[in-house]
């Protein structure tokens, strides 16, 4: 089977589909979620699809509706994301033009997915960013701190004897060696920081929604991720929303 997420529309057993970019035509033979068969899958469902014949599908290829396949092009109009464009929220940042495009896009995604809601967006990448959108649709600001890899590099570069280590998940809170102590310090330092941020906003704002995204989000324990909303495609949703409201039909 072929696994992926329904990004738009629906998928049904027996439906004819077009494979992009190859252009091959096939029919959906079966749809499954954790081996449980479905007749129909909807947006945001992660599913495994089987087809009526063997096809050559690679990572990044698309299974699309035969009646409404996406357009394929090697030329695209580029829109630069910045604070001067039309945004779906009020920006109360004191230096609005210095607000990073990635943070703008994430806040736009929060507007689209969770309207009129207090939302804290935590993005774990090279840096960890915290961005807060209140229920009045006003971006209030946030915080920026070093991500996992930057913390490891800083310990190596700005000390005399500490080794450079690769990031890893840690179970023991207390290290019994220098390497274990570095791992524990970085890992639980990030974890405690995130918990403190969530606790602050949860204490000061009603019905808080917390969004966890970014490439390093998978390094956090499942117990934390189960208490908040993990969105691997949150940035893409924000980009699509900003594009839609800044493109003249």
């Amino acid at each position: 089977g072929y696994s992926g997420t329904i990004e738009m529309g629906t998928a049904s057993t027996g439906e004819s589909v077009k494979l992009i970019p190859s252009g091959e035509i096939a029919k959906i033979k079966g749809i499954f979620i954790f081996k449980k068969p479905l007749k129909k899958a909807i947006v945001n469902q992660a599913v495994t699809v089987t087809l009526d014949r063997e096809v050559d599908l690679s990572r990044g290829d698309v299974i699309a509706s035969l009646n409404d396949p996406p357009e394929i092009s090697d030329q695209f109009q580029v829109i630069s994301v910045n604070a001067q464009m039309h945004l779906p929220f009020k920006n109360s940042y004191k230096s609005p033009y210095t607000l990073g495009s990635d943070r703008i896009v994430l806040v736009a995604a929060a507007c689209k997915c969770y309207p009129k809601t207090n939302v804290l967006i935590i993005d774990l990448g090279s840096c960890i960013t915290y961005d807060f959108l209140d229920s009045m649709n006003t971006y209030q600001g946030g915080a920026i701190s070093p991500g996992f890899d930057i913390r490891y590099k800083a310990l190596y570069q700005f000390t005399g004897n500490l080794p450079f280590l690769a990031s890893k998940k840690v179970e023991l809170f207390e290290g019994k060696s220098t390497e274990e102590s570095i791992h524990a310090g970085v890992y639980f330092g990030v974890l405690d920081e995130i918990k403190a941020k969530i606790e602050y906003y949860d204490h000061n704002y009603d019905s808080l929604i917390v969004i966890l995204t970014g490439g390093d989000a998978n390094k956090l324990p499942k117990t934390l991720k189960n208490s908040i909303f993990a969105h691997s495609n949150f940035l893409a949703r924000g980009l699509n929303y900003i594009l839609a409201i800044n493109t003249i039909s």
Side-chain angles (χ1 to χ4, degrees):
Y2 307 95
S3 298
T5 302
I6 307 296
E7 293 295 337
M8 62 184 299
T10 61
S12 303
T13 55
E15 179 182 355
S16 295
V17 293
K18 185 174 184 179
L19 311 182
I20 307 296
S22 70
E24 292 182 79
I25 307 297
K27 281 189 176 183
I28 296 177
K29 184 178 180 181
I31 304 172
F32 304 88
I33 294 183
F34 299 117
K35 298 184 179 180
K36 179 182 177 181
L38 297 176
K39 290 184 178 181
K40 185 176 183 179
I42 60 175
V43 171
N44 296 331
Q45 283 188 317
V47 299
T48 298
V49 173
T50 58
L51 302 175
D52 64 343
R53 62 188 183 85
E54 289 293 325
V55 297
D56 183 17
L57 271 180
S58 302
R59 185 180 180 87
D61 290 355
V62 176
I63 300 176
S65 168
L66 179 62
N67 297 324
D68 189 23
E71 294 183 11
I72 301 177
S73 176
D74 59 0
Q75 297 183 6
F76 305 91
Q77 178 184 5
V78 176
I79 297 178
S80 177
V81 176
N82 56 67
Q84 292 178 298
M85 67 193 318
H86 177 56
L87 298 176
F89 57 88
K90 179 182 177 182
N91 189 353
S92 67
Y93 213 49
K94 288 184 178 179
S95 53
Y97 300 117
T98 68
L99 184 61
S101 58
D102 54 342
R103 299 173 73 188
I104 291 174
V105 171
L106 289 172
V107 176
C111 292
K112 176 66 174 178
C113 298
Y114 303 97
K116 298 181 180 180
T117 306
N118 292 314
V119 184
L120 173 64
I121 311 145
I122 305 173
D123 182 26
L124 287 96
S126 298
C127 292
I128 302 172
T129 59
Y130 304 86
D131 293 291
F132 181 66
L133 178 75
D134 68 21
S135 59
M136 301 299 291
N137 214 40
T138 299
Y139 173 64
Q140 296 291 353
I144 304 173
S145 70
F148 283 99
D149 290 342
I150 290 179
R151 297 183 193 218
Y152 279 106
K153 289 177 182 177
L155 288 172
Y156 170 70
Q157 292 179 356
F158 298 109
T159 62
N161 299 310
L162 294 181
F164 178 63
L165 304 177
S167 177
K168 62 178 288 187
K169 288 184 178 180
V170 179
E171 294 183 0
L172 298 177
F173 187 80
E174 197 171 55
K176 300 297 185 182
S177 67
T178 297
E179 290 191 5
E180 287 182 358
S181 297
I182 292 173
H183 285 308
V186 171
Y187 185 79
F188 289 107
V190 170
L191 188 58
D192 290 344
E193 174 185 298
I194 290 174
K195 288 180 177 178
K197 290 290 185 183
I198 294 174
E199 183 179 345
Y200 168 80
Y201 284 102
D202 191 45
H203 177 75
N204 288 281
Y205 295 91
D206 295 330
S207 304
L208 179 71
I209 293 291
V210 181
I211 304 300
L212 185 66
T213 189
D216 280 349
N218 61 352
K219 295 179 180 178
L220 299 180
K222 290 183 179 180
T223 52
L224 176 63
K225 290 186 285 186
N226 287 344
S227 65
I228 57 185
F229 292 90
H231 281 278
S232 59
N233 296 321
F234 207 59
L235 192 72
R237 292 189 183 188
L239 280 170
N240 285 335
Y241 187 36
I242 285 181
L243 178 64
I245 64 178
N246 282 273
T247 302
I248 300 176
S249 307

